[in-house]
Amino acid sequence: MATVTGFVEKIKYRNEENGYSVLEVSSDGQEYVLVGTFHYIGEGEMICAEGTMTEHPVYGEQMAVESYEIRSPEDAAAMERYLGSGAIKGVGAALAARIVRRFKADTFRIIEEEPERLSEVKGISERMAMEIAGQMEEKKDMRQAMIFLQEYGVSMNLAAKIYREYGPRMYGIIKENPYRLADDIPGVGFKMADEIARRVGIMADSDYRIKAGILYTLLKAAGQGHTYLPREELMRQASELLLVPIGNMEKHLMDMQMDRRIVVKPVAAKTDPSRPETGTGPADGWDDAYAGGPDAGGQQAVYASAYYYMELNTARMLHDLNVRGKTPAEEIHERLGQVMEQTGLELDPLQVHAVEEAVNSGLLIITGGPGTGKTTTINAIIRYFEAERMDILLAAPTGRAAKRMTEATGYEAKTIHRLLEMNGSPGEDGSISLQFDRNEENPLDADVVIIDEMSMVDIQLMQSLLRAVNVGTRLILAGDVNQLPSVGPGNVLKDMIGSGRFNVVKLTRIFRQAAESDIVVNAHRINEGQPVDLTKRSRDFLFIRRGQPDEIISAMITLMTKKLPGYVHADPYEIQVLTPMRKGALGVERLNSIFQAYLNPPDEKKAEHETGGVVFREGDKVMQIRNNYQIEWEVRSRYGIPTETGMGIFNGDTGIIREINTFAETLTVEFDEGRMVEYEFGQLEELELAYAVTIHKSQGSEYPAVIIPVHSGPRMLMTRNLIYTAVTRARSCVCLVGVPQTFQDMANNRMEQRRYCGLLDRILEIPE
């Protein structure tokens, strides 16, 4: 065991989540590198550390620290060194020398007990003297707070946020109501607050705990796509979470309403099930799963307040945009004829009707399945408005969908986040809050805004988009209502169509060229509940019969590595395996570990890092699995110089691991459009291998070929809209591998996971 006592000259690396640091320490004229976990430490501080000296193959001799203590400088030279290190803002080397020359070994006592005497030193006012003393006290308090919070399992990064938020009040809050942390501190959830409360000794039936548990249940439901929960369902889930009888929780709902933390509303009765394809009335695809249900009347919906007001504001803004124009049909037909002649576009009557509606509608929805001409229709609308010299903006929810839109129209399309100019503003505590620079005060500068892949847009993003669209700007929304709903909360497109309040054009004709594709034909057969001939020899829709999971996997490996790359002229990494499940023999987790071994096996030239049982290796295909609005990316030139920067990587974005730095504990991923993102090892829970992904995660994407394992699974999961979505992700070839009966059962299963959403109710509440 070795001991090093000296000054922290430099913090070469620090992981703010777990406190792991690499320190450069000066001791008796020698330099040492110390590695280990430190609660809180700053440059210039004096440390006494014990540990084992090791030899790193790249970085040389280091001490792996096992225990340490921070010591106050004891002699005048040490005090001068600390004060002049930059640890105290506003005190440089020269001023530190004057302070210590004046007070000598008594310097620290003077700062703590008689700080006003610092003004005796030339260059220090009374105000500055008090600021120096305050900083010294704060550093001491911060260190004590870090140690205190570490005892409750709080990470370094969160501990710093907690201290900055509350200061010395932190101790009282932790001991009396730690659930406040879940409300006030980003990154502290109910479960962490509950664990702290348990260690502190707070009772299970505490009012604070029950209210926090109810709110946590609602926010957890939002993660599953719901904007509210029925009162009975909320009480049941919260009771199971808290292990508290439902009767003990009822009284808290009224208090939470008075505090405006929740909103309770009646659920409307089931909507009239008539199904016209255009115009007013609930549209095709509307069913019980998206209303309150057949006996919804009389139930109560309980919202976390934020989601209720998202729905309310969205409904109001949609109503305001939904205005009618007065351009005569003859005039539209004449101009459209000129556009068609100039561009060579050919439109059927429904597509012509869509252009008419686009010209005379403040808000228009265009929906239809694959091969029905949505892209041609959008192109015709763009060319029409272009001829009218209007400013047009195009966007889609994901980078992949925006890229497809650009390729299909010849117009630049952005992600909705980039269209709205997403930005992060730093707070006083160093945190970053998300905001969009485009809003009602700074709206989009456009006459026409066209959004594709609307089925993917959740209620949060929809509200942000509408805030940036002025009344008078045409908003055209395109999407396939039969695909899976958004990953985020809400069911925006289906609720808008189901309300019958907005102009909807449903394209139904499959065009000749598309009809030659079995992908398109079979997708429509699936959606309409018609049988699919799996014995037919097809160029682009193949079913390979295999009975057992391992046989299915073997066939998929052959397809990925040997058969499909040459057939569809694509790299194996571009071929995507889409599976219904995360767990099980054919789930994402197992498939990714197997495919990784074939497509990117271990290599001594490739660095790798294991976390949570998953090995990440340079060259791996990975996916971001949650929205991270704060993470920064940069596009680099061929010489590595940043040429563009931005913020935000989103759920479903895929990329390739380009570098793993085990010393700095970072991993660099290159996403679409050359966006390079550096992750700390503590952030890797946001990534997973992506050789296989769930069908839900594939929304908005298109791949040269997709491979779909088809085997047994839960009936609630193995549904028609799931297999429909998977099949429509393929551009050139679909390969299904497995059991034909399972495929037919999925195509026949119309069950859809119920989403508790109230946007339709909010729309219908507004008088026409």
Side-chain angles (χ1 to χ4, degrees):
M1 188 77 71
T3 301
V4 171
T5 300
F7 296 92
V8 179
E9 291 281 1
K10 185 177 182 181
I11 299 176
K12 301 177 74 172
Y13 170 76
R14 183 168 183 79
N15 184 322
E16 294 296 344
E17 285 298 317
N18 57 26
Y20 178 84
S21 306
V22 179
L23 311 179
E24 193 175 280
V25 174
S26 176
S27 176
D28 297 327
Q30 288 188 280
E31 300 295 329
Y32 295 90
V33 175
L34 276 57
V35 295
T37 300
F38 301 87
H39 291 296
Y40 182 76
I41 197 167
E43 292 180 354
E45 296 198 271
M46 189 173 185
I47 185 172
C48 179
E50 290 188 344
T52 304
M53 302 304 295
T54 62
E55 188 71 25
H56 190 280
V58 176
Y59 302 105
E61 188 178 55
Q62 301 176 341
M63 173 190 274
V65 176
E66 297 178 19
S67 64
Y68 74 96
E69 64 174 323
I70 304 296
R71 293 183 175 178
S72 297
E74 296 171 351
D75 57 38
M79 292 177 185
E80 181 179 335
R81 183 170 186 145
Y82 174 74
L83 290 173
S85 68
I88 305 300
K89 188 177 178 180
V91 179
L95 185 55
R98 291 203 298 274
I99 293 172
V100 175
R101 198 159 49 241
R102 174 71 178 84
F103 300 113
K104 300 184 173 55
D106 212 20
T107 297
F108 274 34
R109 187 195 66 78
I110 293 292
I111 293 174
E112 288 184 10
E113 298 177 9
E114 304 176 74
E116 66 280 358
R117 288 191 57 193
L118 289 174
S119 61
E120 298 173 15
V121 177
K122 184 180 179 182
I124 299 180
S125 64
E126 287 189 12
R127 179 180 176 182
M128 184 178 181
M130 301 311 293
E131 287 178 354
I132 292 171
Q135 287 186 61
M136 291 281 286
E137 185 65 23
E138 184 178 4
K139 285 184 174 294
K140 180 179 175 183
D141 291 346
M142 175 75 93
R143 186 177 298 112
Q144 291 174 347
M146 293 291 176
I147 294 170
F148 173 80
L149 290 168
Q150 287 280 298
E151 294 175 2
Y152 297 105
V154 179
S155 71
M156 294 294 298
N157 196 26
L158 284 177
K161 288 181 180 179
I162 291 169
Y163 182 78
R164 292 188 183 112
E165 176 72 23
Y166 300 125
R169 294 185 297 127
M170 174 196 78
Y171 300 98
I173 290 169
I174 293 292
K175 291 175 180 176
E176 294 172 15
N177 178 19
Y179 298 100
R180 277 190 59 183
L181 274 60
D183 291 338
D184 299 341
I185 313 292
V188 178
F190 171 80
K191 290 191 174 180
M192 180 180 290
D194 202 35
E195 175 60 21
I196 293 172
R198 186 188 65 79
R199 296 190 187 192
V200 169
I202 289 176
M203 300 295 289
D205 60 354
S206 157
D207 290 355
Y208 295 131
R209 182 172 186 265
I210 291 174
K211 290 178 181 179
I214 289 171
L215 193 60
Y216 170 76
T217 302
L218 289 172
L219 296 179
K220 184 180 177 184
Q224 298 167 345
H226 308 296
T227 57
Y228 73 83
L229 284 177
R231 184 183 183 119
E232 294 76 10
E233 180 69 14
L234 170 63
M235 291 291 99
R236 183 188 64 78
Q237 290 189 24
S239 177
E240 291 176 0
L241 170 74
L242 299 168
L243 301 177
V244 170
I246 291 176
N248 290 18
M249 298 188 296
E250 291 282 356
K251 63 181 180 180
H252 296 293
L253 286 182
M254 183 61 72
D255 291 341
M256 294 178 74
Q257 288 183 74
M258 293 177 66
D259 293 339
R260 298 187 178 182
R261 299 174 74 185
I262 65 170
V263 173
V264 180
K265 297 286 289 185
V267 178
K270 182 183 175 183
T271 305
D272 180 357
S274 60
R275 297 178 175 180
E277 293 181 356
T278 62
T280 61
D284 189 25
W286 177 254
D287 57 37
D288 292 354
Y290 295 90
D295 56 353
Q299 290 189 18
Q300 286 189 315
V302 184
Y303 289 85
S305 292
Y307 287 104
Y308 172 75
Y309 289 108
M310 282 180 202
E311 288 186 347
L312 188 65
N313 292 335
T314 297
R316 178 185 54 78
M317 290 186 286
L318 288 171
H319 177 269
D320 291 346
L321 287 173
N322 192 29
V323 295
R324 292 293 298 174
K326 298 180 180 178
T327 306
E330 298 79 10
E331 186 178 324
I332 296 173
H333 288 166
E334 180 182 347
R335 294 177 183 175
L336 181 57
Q338 295 171 358
V339 168
M340 292 168 66
E341 184 178 344
Q342 292 168 359
T343 61
L345 290 170
E346 296 182 8
L347 306 180
D348 76 351
L350 262 180
Q351 292 174 310
V352 171
H353 177 57
V355 177
E356 292 175 358
E357 290 297 312
V359 174
N360 277 325
S361 299
L363 176 62
L364 173 66
I365 300 169
I366 301 173
T367 185
T372 56
K374 287 197 304 295
T375 299
T376 301
T377 305
I378 290 172
N379 270 323
I381 292 169
I382 290 171
R383 305 309 165 200
Y384 185 100
F385 288 131
E386 186 180 39
E388 296 290 297
R389 300 184 180 278
M390 292 186 177
D391 292 325
I392 307 164
L393 293 175
L394 275 60
T398 67
R400 282 178 175 268
K403 184 178 180 181
R404 286 173 55 201
M405 199 177 186
T406 299
E407 292 168 350
T409 63
Y411 255 69
E412 181 191 9
K414 300 178 179 180
T415 64
I416 299 174
H417 291 87
R418 292 187 72 181
L419 179 74
L420 299 179
E421 299 177 16
M422 188 185 72
N423 203 349
S425 57
E428 294 181 0
D429 63 351
S431 65
I432 298 177
S433 60
L434 170 71
Q435 63 182 28
F436 291 111
D437 287 347
R438 293 290 183 175
N439 50 42
E440 54 270 86
E441 295 178 358
N442 182 29
L444 293 167
D445 187 12
D447 301 301
V448 183
V449 177
I450 303 176
I451 307 295
D452 199 9
E453 295 287 357
M454 264 300 298
S455 63
M456 298 180 64
V457 176
D458 63 28
I459 190 68
Q460 293 168 298
L461 190 55
M462 189 63 181
Q463 178 189 235
S464 297
L465 171 66
L466 293 174
R467 288 180 61 200
V469 179
N470 260 341
V471 174
T473 298
R474 291 174 176 83
L475 180 62
I476 300 170
L477 309 174
D480 185 348
V481 76
N482 293 303
Q483 290 194 25
L484 294 168
S486 58
V487 174
N491 207 352
V492 174
L493 181 63
K494 201 158 195 176
D495 278 1
M496 288 178 64
I497 294 174
S499 74
R501 288 288 184 86
F502 310 109
N503 292 327
V504 178
V505 176
K506 182 176 181 182
L507 304 176
T508 55
R509 175 189 169 192
I510 303 177
F511 285 84
R512 181 180 58 81
Q513 186 175 357
E516 296 173 359
S517 165
D518 285 328
I519 295 175
V520 172
V521 171
N522 288 335
H524 283 274
R525 294 184 73 84
I526 291 167
N527 190 46
E528 293 163 8
Q530 298 178 12
V532 175
D533 184 0
L534 300 179
T535 64
K536 176 183 176 182
R537 294 181 64 85
S538 171
R539 292 175 302 152
D540 61 2
F541 192 95
L542 313 174
F543 198 102
I544 300 170
R545 288 163 172 76
R546 295 290 186 272
Q548 299 301 316
D550 287 348
E551 295 173 345
I552 293 172
I553 292 170
S554 178
M556 291 195 296
I557 290 169
T558 301
L559 287 168
M560 288 181 73
T561 59
K562 297 178 181 178
K563 302 292 186 181
L564 285 175
Y567 186 65
V568 298
H569 308 291
D571 186 272
Y573 273 38
E574 296 179 280
I575 297 165
Q576 189 62 59
V577 173
L578 304 179
T579 179
M581 296 164 287
R582 290 197 55 80
K583 306 286 185 180
L586 292 171
V588 163
E589 295 175 5
R590 180 170 186 243
L591 291 180
N592 272 320
S593 64
I594 293 171
F595 294 148
Q596 181 190 47
Y598 281 89
L599 294 174
N600 190 32
D603 188 320
E604 62 181 13
K605 296 179 182 178
K606 294 180 179 179
E608 59 183 51
H609 175 71
E610 181 178 358
T611 180
V614 177
V615 174
F616 290 105
R617 185 175 297 129
E618 289 177 347
D620 272 336
K621 181 179 178 181
V622 293
M623 174 179 279
Q624 177 81 12
I625 60 172
R626 68 186 62 162
N627 290 338
N628 186 332
Y629 301 105
Q630 300 180 5
I631 199 165
E632 297 180 355
W633 54 261
E634 61 184 28
V635 177
R636 300 171 184 170
S637 71
R638 58 186 296 187
Y639 303 107
I641 299 171
T643 58
E644 184 182 356
T645 61
M647 298 182 67
I649 296 294
F650 305 106
N651 194 348
D653 286 353
T654 58
I656 305 295
I657 297 175
R658 296 303 185 194
E659 181 185 10
I660 296 176
N661 188 326
T662 54
F663 178 72
E665 294 194 331
T666 59
L667 179 150
T668 302
V669 178
E670 181 178 358
F671 288 97
D672 291 339
E673 302 173 332
R675 295 172 297 157
M676 307 294 287
V677 178
E678 188 176 277
Y679 293 82
E680 295 178 354
F681 281 178
Q683 296 175 290
L684 295 186
E685 61 185 16
E686 297 185 12
L687 293 175
E688 67 181 18
L689 297 175
Y691 301 102
V693 303
T694 62
I695 296 169
H696 281 86
K697 295 287 189 183
S698 72
Q699 287 175 268
S701 298
E702 184 181 75
Y703 311 96
V706 299
I707 304 170
I708 308 168
V710 182
H711 201 259
S712 59
R715 177 171 166 77
M716 287 187 64
L717 192 62
M718 310 292 278
T719 62
R720 177 183 296 178
N721 68 344
L722 194 80
I723 193 67
Y724 173 79
T725 299
V727 166
T728 56
R729 297 307 89 205
R731 182 166 62 245
S732 302
C733 188
V734 171
C735 291
L736 299 111
V737 186
V739 181
Q741 188 58 49
T742 300
F743 172 85
Q744 299 293 2
D745 290 344
M746 291 182 74
N748 292 332
N749 182 8
R750 291 195 62 194
M751 182 184 297
E752 296 183 25
Q753 182 182 7
R754 168 176 286 189
R755 283 201 168 190
Y756 295 112
C757 312
L759 177 60
L760 180 138
D761 289 348
R762 304 289 84 77
I763 292 170
L764 295 179
E765 286 171 355
I766 300 174
E768 290 191 70

mmCIF file of all heavy atoms in Angstrom, residues 433-453:
data_model
loop_
_atom_site.group_PDB
_atom_site.id
_atom_site.type_symbol
_atom_site.label_atom_id
_atom_site.label_comp_id
_atom_site.label_asym_id
_atom_site.label_seq_id
_atom_site.Cartn_x
_atom_site.Cartn_y
_atom_site.Cartn_z
ATOM 1 N N SER A 433 -31.907 23.375 -20.052
ATOM 2 C CA SER A 433 -33.334 23.151 -20.253
ATOM 3 C C SER A 433 -33.648 23.257 -21.738
ATOM 4 O O SER A 433 -33.114 24.109 -22.444
ATOM 5 C CB SER A 433 -34.152 24.181 -19.463
ATOM 6 O OG SER A 433 -33.838 25.495 -19.888
ATOM 7 N N LEU A 434 -34.517 22.353 -22.198
ATOM 8 C CA LEU A 434 -34.880 22.302 -23.604
ATOM 9 C C LEU A 434 -35.871 23.407 -23.939
ATOM 10 O O LEU A 434 -36.774 23.695 -23.175
ATOM 11 C CB LEU A 434 -35.505 20.948 -23.921
ATOM 12 C CG LEU A 434 -36.163 20.828 -25.294
ATOM 13 C CD1 LEU A 434 -35.114 20.804 -26.381
ATOM 14 C CD2 LEU A 434 -37.032 19.594 -25.351
ATOM 15 N N GLN A 435 -35.670 23.998 -25.098
ATOM 16 C CA GLN A 435 -36.655 24.946 -25.588
ATOM 17 C C GLN A 435 -36.569 24.979 -27.108
ATOM 18 O O GLN A 435 -35.565 24.593 -27.694
ATOM 19 C CB GLN A 435 -36.420 26.355 -25.027
ATOM 20 C CG GLN A 435 -35.090 26.970 -25.441
ATOM 21 C CD GLN A 435 -34.887 28.346 -24.831
ATOM 22 O OE1 GLN A 435 -35.398 28.645 -23.769
ATOM 23 N NE2 GLN A 435 -34.128 29.184 -25.511
ATOM 24 N N PHE A 436 -37.663 25.407 -27.739
ATOM 25 C CA PHE A 436 -37.667 25.623 -29.180
ATOM 26 C C PHE A 436 -37.656 27.120 -29.436
ATOM 27 O O PHE A 436 -38.480 27.853 -28.891
ATOM 28 C CB PHE A 436 -38.898 24.981 -29.819
ATOM 29 C CG PHE A 436 -38.886 23.475 -29.802
ATOM 30 C CD1 PHE A 436 -39.764 22.767 -29.010
ATOM 31 C CD2 PHE A 436 -37.986 22.771 -30.582
ATOM 32 C CE1 PHE A 436 -39.764 21.382 -28.999
ATOM 33 C CE2 PHE A 436 -37.968 21.385 -30.579
ATOM 34 C CZ PHE A 436 -38.853 20.691 -29.788
ATOM 35 N N ASP A 437 -36.738 27.572 -30.281
ATOM 36 C CA ASP A 437 -36.674 28.997 -30.589
ATOM 37 C C ASP A 437 -37.857 29.444 -31.438
ATOM 38 O O ASP A 437 -38.205 30.620 -31.465
ATOM 39 C CB ASP A 437 -35.362 29.320 -31.307
ATOM 40 C CG ASP A 437 -34.174 29.276 -30.358
ATOM 41 O OD1 ASP A 437 -34.387 29.241 -29.130
ATOM 42 O OD2 ASP A 437 -33.017 29.267 -30.841
ATOM 43 N N ARG A 438 -38.464 28.487 -32.166
ATOM 44 C CA ARG A 438 -39.657 28.812 -32.939
ATOM 45 C C ARG A 438 -40.890 28.537 -32.083
ATOM 46 O O ARG A 438 -41.096 27.429 -31.611
ATOM 47 C CB ARG A 438 -39.715 27.970 -34.219
ATOM 48 C CG ARG A 438 -38.614 28.313 -35.213
ATOM 49 C CD ARG A 438 -38.836 29.696 -35.823
ATOM 50 N NE ARG A 438 -37.827 29.996 -36.832
ATOM 51 C CZ ARG A 438 -37.837 31.086 -37.592
ATOM 52 N NH1 ARG A 438 -38.812 31.983 -37.452
ATOM 53 N NH2 ARG A 438 -36.887 31.298 -38.474
ATOM 54 N N ASN A 439 -41.700 29.574 -31.898
ATOM 55 C CA ASN A 439 -42.906 29.463 -31.077
ATOM 56 C C ASN A 439 -43.860 30.583 -31.481
ATOM 57 O O ASN A 439 -43.666 31.202 -32.537
ATOM 58 C CB ASN A 439 -42.553 29.520 -29.587
ATOM 59 C CG ASN A 439 -41.657 30.710 -29.261
ATOM 60 O OD1 ASN A 439 -41.861 31.820 -29.764
ATOM 61 N ND2 ASN A 439 -40.638 30.485 -28.440
ATOM 62 N N GLU A 440 -44.868 30.850 -30.655
ATOM 63 C CA GLU A 440 -45.840 31.880 -31.028
ATOM 64 C C GLU A 440 -45.216 33.266 -31.140
ATOM 65 O O GLU A 440 -45.718 34.119 -31.878
ATOM 66 C CB GLU A 440 -47.020 31.904 -30.049
ATOM 67 C CG GLU A 440 -46.647 32.041 -28.595
ATOM 68 C CD GLU A 440 -46.436 30.686 -27.933
ATOM 69 O OE1 GLU A 440 -45.295 30.179 -28.028
ATOM 70 O OE2 GLU A 440 -47.369 30.161 -27.326
ATOM 71 N N GLU A 441 -44.132 33.492 -30.430
ATOM 72 C CA GLU A 441 -43.468 34.792 -30.503
ATOM 73 C C GLU A 441 -42.485 34.865 -31.668
ATOM 74 O O GLU A 441 -42.108 35.952 -32.102
ATOM 75 C CB GLU A 441 -42.738 35.073 -29.186
ATOM 76 C CG GLU A 441 -43.683 35.208 -27.994
ATOM 77 C CD GLU A 441 -42.927 35.441 -26.698
ATOM 78 O OE1 GLU A 441 -41.680 35.461 -26.734
ATOM 79 O OE2 GLU A 441 -43.588 35.607 -25.659
ATOM 80 N N ASN A 442 -42.060 33.729 -32.159
ATOM 81 C CA ASN A 442 -41.114 33.669 -33.282
ATOM 82 C C ASN A 442 -41.548 32.531 -34.209
ATOM 83 O O ASN A 442 -40.890 31.505 -34.313
ATOM 84 C CB ASN A 442 -39.693 33.423 -32.754
ATOM 85 C CG ASN A 442 -38.659 33.395 -33.864
ATOM 86 O OD1 ASN A 442 -38.820 34.049 -34.902
ATOM 87 N ND2 ASN A 442 -37.603 32.631 -33.662
ATOM 88 N N PRO A 443 -42.689 32.708 -34.896
ATOM 89 C CA PRO A 443 -43.260 31.604 -35.675
ATOM 90 C C PRO A 443 -42.439 31.272 -36.913
ATOM 91 O O PRO A 443 -41.565 32.044 -37.341
ATOM 92 C CB PRO A 443 -44.650 32.126 -36.045
ATOM 93 C CG PRO A 443 -44.514 33.613 -36.016
ATOM 94 C CD PRO A 443 -43.517 33.924 -34.945
ATOM 95 N N LEU A 444 -42.745 30.117 -37.483
ATOM 96 C CA LEU A 444 -42.091 29.695 -38.718
ATOM 97 C C LEU A 444 -42.425 30.668 -39.835
ATOM 98 O O LEU A 444 -43.583 31.076 -40.002
ATOM 99 C CB LEU A 444 -42.540 28.283 -39.102
ATOM 100 C CG LEU A 444 -42.100 27.167 -38.153
ATOM 101 C CD1 LEU A 444 -42.857 25.882 -38.459
ATOM 102 C CD2 LEU A 444 -40.591 26.941 -38.240
ATOM 103 N N ASP A 445 -41.421 31.028 -40.613
ATOM 104 C CA ASP A 445 -41.601 31.978 -41.708
ATOM 105 C C ASP A 445 -41.948 31.188 -42.965
ATOM 106 O O ASP A 445 -41.069 30.844 -43.769
ATOM 107 C CB ASP A 445 -40.316 32.784 -41.889
ATOM 108 C CG ASP A 445 -40.483 33.902 -42.905
ATOM 109 O OD1 ASP A 445 -41.639 34.185 -43.282
ATOM 110 O OD2 ASP A 445 -39.456 34.477 -43.333
ATOM 111 N N ALA A 446 -43.208 30.839 -43.119
ATOM 112 C CA ALA A 446 -43.624 30.010 -44.242
ATOM 113 C C ALA A 446 -45.099 30.231 -44.535
ATOM 114 O O ALA A 446 -45.885 30.608 -43.659
ATOM 115 C CB ALA A 446 -43.375 28.534 -43.937
ATOM 116 N N ASP A 447 -45.461 29.976 -45.802
ATOM 117 C CA ASP A 447 -46.868 29.991 -46.191
ATOM 118 C C ASP A 447 -47.487 28.608 -46.060
ATOM 119 O O ASP A 447 -48.698 28.483 -45.842
ATOM 120 C CB ASP A 447 -47.005 30.470 -47.642
ATOM 121 C CG ASP A 447 -46.436 31.861 -47.847
ATOM 122 O OD1 ASP A 447 -46.923 32.788 -47.172
ATOM 123 O OD2 ASP A 447 -45.508 32.012 -48.663
ATOM 124 N N VAL A 448 -46.644 27.577 -46.223
ATOM 125 C CA VAL A 448 -47.113 26.198 -46.182
ATOM 126 C C VAL A 448 -46.120 25.363 -45.378
ATOM 127 O O VAL A 448 -44.909 25.437 -45.605
ATOM 128 C CB VAL A 448 -47.238 25.601 -47.599
ATOM 129 C CG1 VAL A 448 -47.805 24.175 -47.533
ATOM 130 C CG2 VAL A 448 -48.091 26.480 -48.496
ATOM 131 N N VAL A 449 -46.624 24.564 -44.430
ATOM 132 C CA VAL A 449 -45.793 23.627 -43.671
ATOM 133 C C VAL A 449 -46.364 22.230 -43.908
ATOM 134 O O VAL A 449 -47.556 21.999 -43.678
ATOM 135 C CB VAL A 449 -45.786 23.948 -42.162
ATOM 136 C CG1 VAL A 449 -44.979 22.900 -41.396
ATOM 137 C CG2 VAL A 449 -45.213 25.343 -41.923
ATOM 138 N N ILE A 450 -45.517 21.312 -44.381
ATOM 139 C CA ILE A 450 -45.950 19.940 -44.671
ATOM 140 C C ILE A 450 -45.183 18.983 -43.769
ATOM 141 O O ILE A 450 -43.948 18.992 -43.753
ATOM 142 C CB ILE A 450 -45.714 19.580 -46.150
ATOM 143 C CG1 ILE A 450 -46.429 20.579 -47.067
ATOM 144 C CG2 ILE A 450 -46.195 18.151 -46.442
ATOM 145 C CD1 ILE A 450 -46.159 20.360 -48.548
ATOM 146 N N ILE A 451 -45.904 18.157 -43.011
ATOM 147 C CA ILE A 451 -45.303 17.196 -42.089
ATOM 148 C C ILE A 451 -45.652 15.785 -42.556
ATOM 149 O O ILE A 451 -46.825 15.465 -42.759
ATOM 150 C CB ILE A 451 -45.818 17.398 -40.645
ATOM 151 C CG1 ILE A 451 -45.642 18.856 -40.201
ATOM 152 C CG2 ILE A 451 -45.095 16.445 -39.693
ATOM 153 C CD1 ILE A 451 -44.221 19.337 -40.094
ATOM 154 N N ASP A 452 -44.648 14.923 -42.708
ATOM 155 C CA ASP A 452 -44.863 13.527 -43.100
ATOM 156 C C ASP A 452 -44.704 12.621 -41.884
ATOM 157 O O ASP A 452 -44.193 13.040 -40.843
ATOM 158 C CB ASP A 452 -43.861 13.142 -44.188
ATOM 159 C CG ASP A 452 -44.302 11.897 -44.957
ATOM 160 O OD1 ASP A 452 -45.448 11.439 -44.759
ATOM 161 O OD2 ASP A 452 -43.497 11.386 -45.760
ATOM 162 N N GLU A 453 -45.129 11.365 -42.033
ATOM 163 C CA GLU A 453 -45.049 10.340 -40.973
ATOM 164 C C GLU A 453 -45.702 10.826 -39.680
ATOM 165 O O GLU A 453 -45.170 10.694 -38.580
ATOM 166 C CB GLU A 453 -43.585 9.941 -40.711
ATOM 167 C CG GLU A 453 -42.903 9.248 -41.874
ATOM 168 C CD GLU A 453 -43.381 7.817 -42.092
ATOM 169 O OE1 GLU A 453 -44.207 7.332 -41.299
ATOM 170 O OE2 GLU A 453 -42.921 7.194 -43.065
#
